[in-house]
Amino acid sequence: MMTPWELFDLESAVDARGIKRRYAQLLKQYRPDDDPLAFQRLRDAYEYALEWVGRDQGEGTPEQAAERGIATAVEDHPPLMRTGEQMEQQPSTEEMQVRALPDTCVSLDEALLRARKMQMEEVLQLELLCRCQLPGDRAVEFLRWAKDHLGWLTPWQPDYLPQANMAQLAQRLFEHELSELWQALPAASESELYQRIRDLASQKWMQPLELNGQLQKALIPLLEEYPGGSSDLLGRLSQLFGWSESDGYLPCDADDWEYLVRHYAYTGMWRELQRQLSLPSPLQPKERACWFLLKPMGDGERRKMADCFEAADWAACDYLAREIEERQPYIPERAGVSYFANWRQWRPQEWGGWATLYAFLIVFLVLSVDQAISERWIAKQGLTQGLLLAGVASVMMMLVLHYLWRGWSGLARSLSRLDVWISRFLVPPSLLERGSGLLIVRHVLPALAFAVLVGSWARHLSPGWALAQGAAILAVSLYFLARVTQGASPYAWLVLIRRSLPSLDIYKPILFWILIIVGSVLLSRLIGPDATQSRTLRSEPFNVCARPTHAQQIMDCERAAQMVREALQRRD
């Protein structure tokens, strides 16, 4: 049989403080919820060891005291509870009857009533004191009853009860209450645990500072192991005991308190995430953010969910991601889910305005080139009018394409799952990005339609050049869409140019003088002598042939006269 000293790995001369310290260490190994039998053996050994130290016997060894058991303890305790005069006298028959009342009566209430009728309440209380010091749950029942009905462990207890023994009983009751808290810890709800702690702390026998301080210190390891706690529970307990980090009044050191605060923040957040993940469907932005970041789902389903997100949903994703990545990085592992770290790629980028601008420039360039190579148009209207018409046509086309794009985007959103499934076979994985990148229905088909339309508008190009132009427009459009869907800036080339320039302050004077020179040239062309002569020649075309000034004009006039005569002859 293993003795208490062997179980506690202590020497026989150790005091009560050493036993309690070792018991607190072993209590973390033999938890009541993990191994109740081992915990009960540990508790019995602890009570036997304290019983031996409390009796302070000088004869025998601790091992012999443990083997004597309860029977020896019953014989040893009564003499300690009596005065010297009582020790010299043999107990009378009435005293023997009173001492047997706890066993012969139905309840302790009846035993107390009969003892009072016999005017021997003191004998009964001393007997109860002896029994309360024995090991076992029955002794704890006696102690609790005496606390509630006789005022034990309070300033109102009878004077004939030895203070040293009552202090030991208070310590024993405290440890028993703490043990019951540990046993109820796994199944207790947050409100139940707080209620039990508050009831224990508010009892009169727990008001002494020593016991109250022991309770507060003992709650720290208990709270660290509690699986259902939250920051709200810690705040209520802080208000109950007056814990304050700013005032420096804490039941433990600052590092342990900081760990406990972080632990409860993590626990509360984990419970809230578990509740949100178990919902049949998310309704609030924070619930949708929890689903999007933590719930396992397919790429098509995630694409469809991201398409329905609004600004509040993305803000909730930002907040939850910061909590997970910075404060609670181990929440996903504890929750049994995987954190979707690449969620930011699914956020829609603001590139629609730049896409419209680039499309306008492409259309304007194509139409301008088409007009420039049309000699017939230049001969009739001039290049300036052709460029102006190309610009107006480009603006009108952009308006039409803008509304067509909006309608197509709504259709593509409704086909998100099908779009992701098709793109998985036709788009490289590096561009697809699991559905957040380039998609066939949403991006490739509109780019192809745009290239075909713009290529067909160039009517003065040969078929080969028109095909090459359409292919180039398609390649440029797909490159732009692939970049912006992967999070690249739509105006990255402007940023690159800006970074390559050391400073714009150097070029400001140069640009200013270039503008002055160009403006002066244009102004001279508009109001100068050459411009006046050109306008005169255009307004009076027949004056030139009336007064030719050089040989070329004479030849041109004769050729024109010949053409007029031939036309008149054909008419006749």
Side-chain angles (χ1 to χ4, degrees):
M1 174 181 175
M2 179 177 292
T3 63
W5 267 255
E6 294 174 351
L7 179 61
F8 280 80
D9 192 19
L10 297 173
E11 299 178 358
S12 59
V14 73
D15 56 357
R17 181 175 299 178
I19 295 174
K20 294 175 184 177
R21 187 182 301 110
R22 182 58 178 163
Y23 174 71
Q25 296 174 355
L26 293 176
L27 192 62
K28 297 180 180 179
Q29 302 178 12
Y30 302 96
R31 298 285 302 279
D33 51 346
D34 295 335
D35 192 349
L37 185 59
F39 171 77
Q40 188 60 41
R41 289 198 298 266
L42 175 65
R43 182 68 193 181
D44 294 340
Y46 172 69
E47 292 176 351
Y48 278 129
L50 285 182
E51 177 190 356
W52 170 262
V53 175
R55 286 202 302 264
D56 195 18
Q57 285 189 343
E59 298 179 0
T61 64
E63 291 80 3
Q64 295 173 349
E67 294 175 355
R68 284 200 299 269
I70 301 177
T72 306
V74 174
E75 296 176 358
D76 291 343
H77 276 293
L80 295 176
M81 305 303 126
R82 302 176 184 276
T83 63
E85 181 180 355
Q86 290 173 330
M87 293 178 60
E88 295 177 358
Q89 300 176 356
Q90 294 295 330
S92 62
T93 304
E94 292 183 349
E95 290 182 359
M96 295 295 296
Q97 293 178 356
V98 171
R99 294 175 60 181
L101 287 178
D103 300 325
T104 58
C105 294
V106 179
S107 63
L108 292 177
D109 294 335
E110 181 183 352
L112 177 61
L113 182 62
R114 293 180 59 179
R116 287 177 176 175
K117 288 182 178 180
M118 299 172 64
Q119 298 183 355
M120 302 187 71
E121 181 179 349
E122 179 181 352
V123 177
L124 177 63
Q125 293 207 30
L126 290 174
E127 176 64 21
L128 291 176
L129 179 61
C130 295
R131 298 195 179 203
C132 287
Q133 296 178 89
L134 299 178
D137 296 336
R138 181 64 174 170
V140 178
E141 294 179 6
F142 288 152
L143 180 57
R144 282 180 170 174
W145 181 88
K147 170 182 67 69
D148 297 333
H149 296 80
L150 301 177
W152 282 18
L153 311 180
T154 66
W156 299 275
Q157 66 185 10
D159 298 336
Y160 49 80
L161 297 176
Q163 293 295 329
N165 297 88
M166 299 305 292
Q168 292 181 5
L169 291 180
Q171 186 66 32
R172 178 180 182 180
L173 182 59
F174 165 73
E175 293 170 356
H176 185 81
E177 295 286 352
L178 187 62
S179 174
E180 289 190 345
L181 278 178
W182 275 99
Q183 294 179 9
L185 191 65
S189 64
E190 184 176 308
S191 58
E192 292 174 352
L193 180 63
Y194 172 76
Q195 187 65 35
R196 296 190 64 160
I197 294 176
R198 189 182 69 173
D199 293 343
L200 177 60
S202 61
Q203 294 186 25
K204 296 180 179 179
W205 66 278
M206 283 294 302
Q207 299 310 309
L209 295 179
E210 182 179 358
L211 280 178
N212 195 273
Q214 290 186 29
L215 174 62
Q216 296 184 36
K217 292 181 180 179
L219 287 178
I220 298 302
L222 184 140
L223 294 175
E224 290 177 353
E225 296 295 329
Y226 182 47
S230 66
S231 299
D232 181 63
L233 174 62
L234 191 61
R236 296 169 68 184
L237 290 176
S238 299
Q239 185 177 4
L240 176 64
F241 293 105
W243 298 340
S244 175
E245 189 172 3
S246 59
D247 297 339
Y249 179 69
L250 297 174
C252 57
D253 55 38
D255 293 338
D256 293 341
W257 179 258
E258 183 180 359
Y259 169 79
L260 185 62
V261 172
R262 287 188 285 107
H263 169 72
Y264 268 55
Y266 148 71
T267 304
M269 187 175 181
W270 173 75
R271 291 172 59 192
E272 179 63 17
L273 293 179
Q274 287 288 84
R275 184 194 68 81
Q276 294 174 2
L277 291 175
S278 62
L279 294 174
S281 61
L283 301 178
Q284 302 296 327
K286 62 179 182 179
E287 298 170 357
R288 289 191 287 268
C290 178
W291 277 46
F292 190 73
L293 298 185
L294 299 177
K295 193 176 184 64
M297 64 178 69
D299 296 337
E301 185 178 0
R302 195 181 301 277
R303 178 72 268 173
K304 189 173 185 63
M305 188 175 186
D307 291 338
C308 299
F309 272 16
E310 298 179 355
D313 300 310
W314 293 115
C317 289
D318 275 330
Y319 176 78
L320 181 58
R322 285 196 303 270
E323 290 290 324
I324 294 176
E325 295 172 356
E326 298 178 6
R327 302 182 183 180
Q328 313 294 345
Y330 46 92
I331 282 182
E333 289 75 8
R334 177 67 181 272
V337 296
S338 58
Y339 170 54
F340 187 64
N342 296 329
W343 68 272
R344 292 178 177 86
Q345 296 183 2
W346 295 69
R347 175 179 289 182
Q349 303 292 330
E350 296 296 334
W351 50 268
W354 287 94
T356 304
L357 175 61
Y358 294 151
F360 167 77
L361 294 177
I362 291 174
V363 174
F364 178 73
L365 179 61
V366 170
L367 294 181
S368 300
V369 172
D370 184 63
Q371 295 294 334
I373 64 177
S374 175
E375 297 180 357
R376 182 179 177 185
W377 178 268
I378 296 175
K380 289 184 178 181
Q381 303 294 335
L383 183 59
T384 305
Q385 289 86 343
L387 294 179
L388 180 61
L389 183 59
V392 174
S394 300
V395 173
M396 298 300 295
M397 292 176 184
M398 283 303 98
L399 292 176
V400 175
L401 292 178
H402 173 71
Y403 287 103
L404 289 177
W405 169 257
R406 291 183 60 181
W408 182 261
S409 297
L411 177 62
R413 288 174 183 269
S414 63
L415 301 175
S416 296
R417 296 181 181 178
L418 178 62
D419 195 6
V420 174
W421 182 80
I422 296 175
S423 302
R424 190 178 303 165
F425 302 100
L426 301 177
V427 178
S430 59
L431 299 180
L432 178 61
E433 293 290 343
R434 298 184 58 184
S436 64
L438 197 65
L439 299 175
I440 293 294
V441 177
R442 184 171 303 190
H443 303 122
V444 177
L445 291 183
L448 180 61
F450 177 71
V452 172
L453 288 175
V454 177
S456 64
W457 292 335
R459 296 174 297 174
H460 299 90
L461 291 178
S462 63
W465 281 106
L467 182 61
Q469 175 184 268
I473 294 175
L474 178 61
V476 171
S477 302
L478 291 180
Y479 176 78
F480 173 79
L481 292 172
R483 292 288 297 166
V484 296
T485 53
Q486 291 181 350
S489 174
Y491 51 90
W493 60 278
L494 291 176
V495 177
L496 183 61
I497 293 176
R498 174 65 180 87
R499 290 178 179 175
S500 62
L501 300 178
S503 176
L504 289 179
D505 296 335
I506 303 176
Y507 302 97
K508 285 180 180 180
I510 300 176
L511 293 175
F512 179 73
W513 284 108
I514 291 176
L515 290 176
I516 291 178
I517 295 172
V518 172
S520 301
V521 173
L522 294 177
L523 186 62
S524 63
R525 289 294 183 92
L526 292 174
I527 64 176
D530 294 338
T532 305
Q533 182 179 2
S534 177
R535 288 196 298 270
T536 303
L537 292 176
R538 288 197 300 269
S539 61
E540 300 179 359
F542 298 103
N543 293 340
V544 176
C545 292
R547 297 182 182 87
T549 58
H550 49 81
Q552 182 64 35
Q553 288 182 353
I554 295 173
M555 295 176 59
D556 292 340
C557 290
E558 290 178 354
R559 188 182 301 109
Q562 181 65 28
M563 293 175 61
V564 170
R565 285 193 294 268
E566 292 177 356
L568 291 175
Q569 290 176 1
R570 286 195 299 269
R571 188 183 65 176
D572 295 341

